[in-house]
Amino acid sequence: MMKHEFKLQWGLPLTGGVAHEMALRPLTIGGELAAMALLDERWGDEPPEGARAAVEETLAFWTRQLYCPADPAWLAALDYLLEHLTGDDHRLILAAQDDLRTKFTAASANHAGSGAAAASPTTAAATGTTAKP
């Protein structure tokens, strides 16, 4: 499976120390649905507004994409990321997500030949992009 590995500046505390080596995988449809269910459960019928909602939404999706290569079974929880992720590392993950999106789009275009996969809904969901009207 495609992934993008990168290093966190401050890291995340895991069993036995602090993990700096991280990776992002493309978001699967199942992962996207799980993240949306997490937000529905967390927010109920009234999603919050403002910056907190935007950050929580991003982190909910990262719970399904972010992993530690040293412990691939590890999955971050939303509250764990809220409590332990620094602003500097948040920005590094955002940059890594852009890098992954670029890699995924290029791989899809090369695989499809015609570029049809790059415009498919599955590719958009997997990379976190949305189609523009």
Side-chain angles (χ1 to χ4, degrees):
M1 172 175 265
M2 181 176 286
K3 64 183 176 182
H4 178 68
E5 294 181 349
F6 59 97
K7 286 187 178 187
L8 297 176
Q9 179 179 354
W10 296 101
L12 292 170
L14 298 180
T15 304
V18 177
H20 293 273
E21 303 287 333
M22 290 287 154
L24 282 173
R25 297 180 191 144
L27 184 63
T28 64
I29 294 170
E32 185 170 3
L33 292 172
M36 291 184 328
L38 174 65
L39 290 172
D40 285 345
E41 181 180 314
R42 185 176 186 89
W43 294 344
D45 293 334
E46 295 292 325
E49 295 181 18
R52 183 172 181 95
V55 169
E56 285 185 2
E57 182 175 13
T58 297
L59 296 181
F61 287 96
W62 287 352
T63 66
R64 308 309 301 172
Q65 292 181 275
L66 182 67
Y67 75 101
C68 176
D71 185 5
W74 175 80
L75 282 177
L78 179 55
D79 287 327
Y80 170 86
L81 291 174
L82 282 170
E83 292 300 318
H84 297 288
L85 187 65
T86 66
D88 292 333
D89 285 344
H90 182 267
R91 286 183 286 280
L92 288 172
I93 298 171
L94 286 171
Q97 190 173 22
D98 287 342
D99 293 343
L100 175 65
R101 187 176 295 122
T102 300
K103 286 168 77 172
F104 190 85
T105 302
S108 295
N110 288 337
H111 179 71
S114 67
S120 76
T122 303
T123 301
T127 60
T129 61
T130 55
K132 293 184 179 180

PDB file of all heavy atoms in Angstrom, residues 5-26:
ATOM      1  N   GLU A   5       6.225   8.492   4.360  1.00  0.00           N
ATOM      2  CA  GLU A   5       6.894   8.540   5.657  1.00  0.00           C
ATOM      3  C   GLU A   5       7.518   9.915   5.879  1.00  0.00           C
ATOM      4  O   GLU A   5       7.964  10.563   4.929  1.00  0.00           O
ATOM      5  CB  GLU A   5       7.960   7.450   5.744  1.00  0.00           C
ATOM      6  CG  GLU A   5       7.353   6.058   5.721  1.00  0.00           C
ATOM      7  CD  GLU A   5       8.380   4.952   5.840  1.00  0.00           C
ATOM      8  OE1 GLU A   5       9.597   5.218   5.730  1.00  0.00           O
ATOM      9  OE2 GLU A   5       7.957   3.803   6.044  1.00  0.00           O
ATOM     10  N   PHE A   6       7.543  10.341   7.141  1.00  0.00           N
ATOM     11  CA  PHE A   6       8.088  11.651   7.496  1.00  0.00           C
ATOM     12  C   PHE A   6       8.438  11.637   8.980  1.00  0.00           C
ATOM     13  O   PHE A   6       8.116  10.689   9.688  1.00  0.00           O
ATOM     14  CB  PHE A   6       7.089  12.770   7.175  1.00  0.00           C
ATOM     15  CG  PHE A   6       5.780  12.626   7.900  1.00  0.00           C
ATOM     16  CD1 PHE A   6       5.541  13.322   9.068  1.00  0.00           C
ATOM     17  CD2 PHE A   6       4.789  11.773   7.410  1.00  0.00           C
ATOM     18  CE1 PHE A   6       4.345  13.169   9.742  1.00  0.00           C
ATOM     19  CE2 PHE A   6       3.591  11.618   8.081  1.00  0.00           C
ATOM     20  CZ  PHE A   6       3.363  12.322   9.251  1.00  0.00           C
ATOM     21  N   LYS A   7       9.105  12.690   9.437  1.00  0.00           N
ATOM     22  CA  LYS A   7       9.495  12.807  10.843  1.00  0.00           C
ATOM     23  C   LYS A   7       8.772  13.979  11.495  1.00  0.00           C
ATOM     24  O   LYS A   7       8.686  15.063  10.919  1.00  0.00           O
ATOM     25  CB  LYS A   7      10.997  13.040  10.965  1.00  0.00           C
ATOM     26  CG  LYS A   7      11.825  11.829  10.686  1.00  0.00           C
ATOM     27  CD  LYS A   7      13.283  12.103  10.996  1.00  0.00           C
ATOM     28  CE  LYS A   7      14.083  10.845  10.756  1.00  0.00           C
ATOM     29  NZ  LYS A   7      15.453  10.981  11.185  1.00  0.00           N
ATOM     30  N   LEU A   8       8.297  13.725  12.699  1.00  0.00           N
ATOM     31  CA  LEU A   8       7.726  14.787  13.516  1.00  0.00           C
ATOM     32  C   LEU A   8       8.853  15.483  14.268  1.00  0.00           C
ATOM     33  O   LEU A   8       9.831  14.847  14.663  1.00  0.00           O
ATOM     34  CB  LEU A   8       6.721  14.217  14.515  1.00  0.00           C
ATOM     35  CG  LEU A   8       5.485  13.540  13.933  1.00  0.00           C
ATOM     36  CD1 LEU A   8       4.649  12.938  15.051  1.00  0.00           C
ATOM     37  CD2 LEU A   8       4.665  14.518  13.111  1.00  0.00           C
ATOM     38  N   GLN A   9       8.699  16.764  14.475  1.00  0.00           N
ATOM     39  CA  GLN A   9       9.706  17.523  15.218  1.00  0.00           C
ATOM     40  C   GLN A   9       9.678  17.158  16.696  1.00  0.00           C
ATOM     41  O   GLN A   9      10.698  16.855  17.296  1.00  0.00           O
ATOM     42  CB  GLN A   9       9.472  19.019  15.033  1.00  0.00           C
ATOM     43  CG  GLN A   9      10.450  19.876  15.799  1.00  0.00           C
ATOM     44  CD  GLN A   9      10.216  21.356  15.578  1.00  0.00           C
ATOM     45  OE1 GLN A   9       9.391  21.771  14.772  1.00  0.00           O
ATOM     46  NE2 GLN A   9      10.949  22.173  16.306  1.00  0.00           N
ATOM     47  N   TRP A  10       8.506  17.205  17.314  1.00  0.00           N
ATOM     48  CA  TRP A  10       8.372  16.959  18.752  1.00  0.00           C
ATOM     49  C   TRP A  10       7.971  15.524  19.047  1.00  0.00           C
ATOM     50  O   TRP A  10       8.251  15.013  20.112  1.00  0.00           O
ATOM     51  CB  TRP A  10       7.365  17.935  19.365  1.00  0.00           C
ATOM     52  CG  TRP A  10       7.849  19.339  19.251  1.00  0.00           C
ATOM     53  CD1 TRP A  10       7.454  20.264  18.327  1.00  0.00           C
ATOM     54  CD2 TRP A  10       8.845  19.974  20.045  1.00  0.00           C
ATOM     55  NE1 TRP A  10       8.142  21.438  18.505  1.00  0.00           N
ATOM     56  CE2 TRP A  10       9.002  21.294  19.570  1.00  0.00           C
ATOM     57  CE3 TRP A  10       9.618  19.569  21.124  1.00  0.00           C
ATOM     58  CZ2 TRP A  10       9.894  22.185  20.122  1.00  0.00           C
ATOM     59  CZ3 TRP A  10      10.511  20.465  21.675  1.00  0.00           C
ATOM     60  CH2 TRP A  10      10.637  21.755  21.180  1.00  0.00           C
ATOM     61  N   GLY A  11       7.275  14.890  18.130  1.00  0.00           N
ATOM     62  CA  GLY A  11       6.903  13.490  18.277  1.00  0.00           C
ATOM     63  C   GLY A  11       5.653  13.278  19.110  1.00  0.00           C
ATOM     64  O   GLY A  11       5.074  14.207  19.660  1.00  0.00           O
ATOM     65  N   LEU A  12       5.259  12.008  19.169  1.00  0.00           N
ATOM     66  CA  LEU A  12       4.095  11.590  19.944  1.00  0.00           C
ATOM     67  C   LEU A  12       4.521  10.523  20.942  1.00  0.00           C
ATOM     68  O   LEU A  12       5.242   9.583  20.586  1.00  0.00           O
ATOM     69  CB  LEU A  12       3.015  11.015  19.014  1.00  0.00           C
ATOM     70  CG  LEU A  12       2.347  12.019  18.089  1.00  0.00           C
ATOM     71  CD1 LEU A  12       1.494  11.307  17.050  1.00  0.00           C
ATOM     72  CD2 LEU A  12       1.495  12.995  18.891  1.00  0.00           C
ATOM     73  N   PRO A  13       4.077  10.661  22.195  1.00  0.00           N
ATOM     74  CA  PRO A  13       4.454   9.647  23.184  1.00  0.00           C
ATOM     75  C   PRO A  13       3.755   8.325  22.894  1.00  0.00           C
ATOM     76  O   PRO A  13       2.541   8.275  22.743  1.00  0.00           O
ATOM     77  CB  PRO A  13       3.984  10.243  24.510  1.00  0.00           C
ATOM     78  CG  PRO A  13       2.965  11.265  24.154  1.00  0.00           C
ATOM     79  CD  PRO A  13       3.262  11.723  22.764  1.00  0.00           C
ATOM     80  N   LEU A  14       4.556   7.290  22.756  1.00  0.00           N
ATOM     81  CA  LEU A  14       4.046   5.935  22.596  1.00  0.00           C
ATOM     82  C   LEU A  14       4.721   5.072  23.649  1.00  0.00           C
ATOM     83  O   LEU A  14       5.677   5.493  24.297  1.00  0.00           O
ATOM     84  CB  LEU A  14       4.356   5.397  21.195  1.00  0.00           C
ATOM     85  CG  LEU A  14       3.746   6.153  20.022  1.00  0.00           C
ATOM     86  CD1 LEU A  14       4.147   5.504  18.710  1.00  0.00           C
ATOM     87  CD2 LEU A  14       2.232   6.191  20.123  1.00  0.00           C
ATOM     88  N   THR A  15       4.260   3.862  23.822  1.00  0.00           N
ATOM     89  CA  THR A  15       4.841   2.961  24.799  1.00  0.00           C
ATOM     90  C   THR A  15       6.345   2.859  24.583  1.00  0.00           C
ATOM     91  O   THR A  15       6.800   2.572  23.486  1.00  0.00           O
ATOM     92  CB  THR A  15       4.202   1.565  24.680  1.00  0.00           C
ATOM     93  OG1 THR A  15       2.792   1.700  24.819  1.00  0.00           O
ATOM     94  CG2 THR A  15       4.722   0.635  25.750  1.00  0.00           C
ATOM     95  N   GLY A  16       7.092   3.161  25.609  1.00  0.00           N
ATOM     96  CA  GLY A  16       8.537   3.032  25.529  1.00  0.00           C
ATOM     97  C   GLY A  16       9.264   4.258  25.025  1.00  0.00           C
ATOM     98  O   GLY A  16      10.466   4.205  24.792  1.00  0.00           O
ATOM     99  N   GLY A  17       8.605   5.368  24.826  1.00  0.00           N
ATOM    100  CA  GLY A  17       9.312   6.565  24.392  1.00  0.00           C
ATOM    101  C   GLY A  17       8.456   7.497  23.562  1.00  0.00           C
ATOM    102  O   GLY A  17       7.231   7.478  23.638  1.00  0.00           O
ATOM    103  N   VAL A  18       9.135   8.282  22.752  1.00  0.00           N
ATOM    104  CA  VAL A  18       8.473   9.258  21.891  1.00  0.00           C
ATOM    105  C   VAL A  18       8.744   8.866  20.437  1.00  0.00           C
ATOM    106  O   VAL A  18       9.898   8.662  20.055  1.00  0.00           O
ATOM    107  CB  VAL A  18       8.991  10.682  22.163  1.00  0.00           C
ATOM    108  CG1 VAL A  18       8.363  11.677  21.211  1.00  0.00           C
ATOM    109  CG2 VAL A  18       8.718  11.079  23.609  1.00  0.00           C
ATOM    110  N   ALA A  19       7.694   8.751  19.653  1.00  0.00           N
ATOM    111  CA  ALA A  19       7.831   8.373  18.250  1.00  0.00           C
ATOM    112  C   ALA A  19       7.924   9.621  17.385  1.00  0.00           C
ATOM    113  O   ALA A  19       7.067  10.504  17.460  1.00  0.00           O
ATOM    114  CB  ALA A  19       6.648   7.522  17.809  1.00  0.00           C
ATOM    115  N   HIS A  20       8.978   9.695  16.597  1.00  0.00           N
ATOM    116  CA  HIS A  20       9.150  10.792  15.646  1.00  0.00           C
ATOM    117  C   HIS A  20       8.889  10.321  14.222  1.00  0.00           C
ATOM    118  O   HIS A  20       8.480  11.112  13.375  1.00  0.00           O
ATOM    119  CB  HIS A  20      10.571  11.368  15.753  1.00  0.00           C
ATOM    120  CG  HIS A  20      10.822  12.052  17.060  1.00  0.00           C
ATOM    121  ND1 HIS A  20      10.526  13.367  17.273  1.00  0.00           N
ATOM    122  CD2 HIS A  20      11.322  11.588  18.230  1.00  0.00           C
ATOM    123  CE1 HIS A  20      10.827  13.687  18.517  1.00  0.00           C
ATOM    124  NE2 HIS A  20      11.322  12.619  19.118  1.00  0.00           N
ATOM    125  N   GLU A  21       9.156   9.046  13.959  1.00  0.00           N
ATOM    126  CA  GLU A  21       8.943   8.470  12.629  1.00  0.00           C
ATOM    127  C   GLU A  21       7.463   8.146  12.470  1.00  0.00           C
ATOM    128  O   GLU A  21       6.912   7.352  13.224  1.00  0.00           O
ATOM    129  CB  GLU A  21       9.764   7.186  12.458  1.00  0.00           C
ATOM    130  CG  GLU A  21      11.246   7.365  12.668  1.00  0.00           C
ATOM    131  CD  GLU A  21      11.925   8.108  11.528  1.00  0.00           C
ATOM    132  OE1 GLU A  21      11.421   8.048  10.394  1.00  0.00           O
ATOM    133  OE2 GLU A  21      12.954   8.748  11.786  1.00  0.00           O
ATOM    134  N   MET A  22       6.827   8.769  11.502  1.00  0.00           N
ATOM    135  CA  MET A  22       5.413   8.551  11.238  1.00  0.00           C
ATOM    136  C   MET A  22       5.208   8.334   9.746  1.00  0.00           C
ATOM    137  O   MET A  22       6.111   8.562   8.939  1.00  0.00           O
ATOM    138  CB  MET A  22       4.574   9.749  11.691  1.00  0.00           C
ATOM    139  CG  MET A  22       4.470   9.938  13.165  1.00  0.00           C
ATOM    140  SD  MET A  22       3.376   8.680  13.873  1.00  0.00           S
ATOM    141  CE  MET A  22       4.006   8.599  15.525  1.00  0.00           C
ATOM    142  N   ALA A  23       4.017   7.927   9.390  1.00  0.00           N
ATOM    143  CA  ALA A  23       3.654   7.758   7.986  1.00  0.00           C
ATOM    144  C   ALA A  23       2.163   8.027   7.839  1.00  0.00           C
ATOM    145  O   ALA A  23       1.394   7.876   8.799  1.00  0.00           O
ATOM    146  CB  ALA A  23       3.998   6.353   7.504  1.00  0.00           C
ATOM    147  N   LEU A  24       1.794   8.433   6.652  1.00  0.00           N
ATOM    148  CA  LEU A  24       0.390   8.600   6.287  1.00  0.00           C
ATOM    149  C   LEU A  24       0.084   7.650   5.140  1.00  0.00           C
ATOM    150  O   LEU A  24       0.888   7.504   4.219  1.00  0.00           O
ATOM    151  CB  LEU A  24       0.106  10.035   5.820  1.00  0.00           C
ATOM    152  CG  LEU A  24      -0.026  11.106   6.871  1.00  0.00           C
ATOM    153  CD1 LEU A  24      -0.129  12.476   6.214  1.00  0.00           C
ATOM    154  CD2 LEU A  24      -1.247  10.868   7.754  1.00  0.00           C
ATOM    155  N   ARG A  25      -1.065   7.030   5.208  1.00  0.00           N
ATOM    156  CA  ARG A  25      -1.576   6.200   4.117  1.00  0.00           C
ATOM    157  C   ARG A  25      -2.719   6.960   3.456  1.00  0.00           C
ATOM    158  O   ARG A  25      -3.373   7.783   4.093  1.00  0.00           O
ATOM    159  CB  ARG A  25      -2.128   4.887   4.660  1.00  0.00           C
ATOM    160  CG  ARG A  25      -1.114   4.028   5.317  1.00  0.00           C
ATOM    161  CD  ARG A  25      -1.787   2.755   5.819  1.00  0.00           C
ATOM    162  NE  ARG A  25      -0.866   2.048   6.673  1.00  0.00           N
ATOM    163  CZ  ARG A  25      -1.202   1.382   7.748  1.00  0.00           C
ATOM    164  NH1 ARG A  25      -2.451   1.330   8.124  1.00  0.00           N
ATOM    165  NH2 ARG A  25      -0.293   0.768   8.466  1.00  0.00           N
ATOM    166  N   PRO A  26      -3.014   6.639   2.206  1.00  0.00           N
ATOM    167  CA  PRO A  26      -4.204   7.245   1.603  1.00  0.00           C
ATOM    168  C   PRO A  26      -5.451   6.865   2.409  1.00  0.00           C
ATOM    169  O   PRO A  26      -5.526   5.763   2.963  1.00  0.00           O
ATOM    170  CB  PRO A  26      -4.259   6.625   0.200  1.00  0.00           C
ATOM    171  CG  PRO A  26      -2.859   6.194  -0.077  1.00  0.00           C
ATOM    172  CD  PRO A  26      -2.287   5.794   1.260  1.00  0.00           C
TER     173      PRO A  26
END
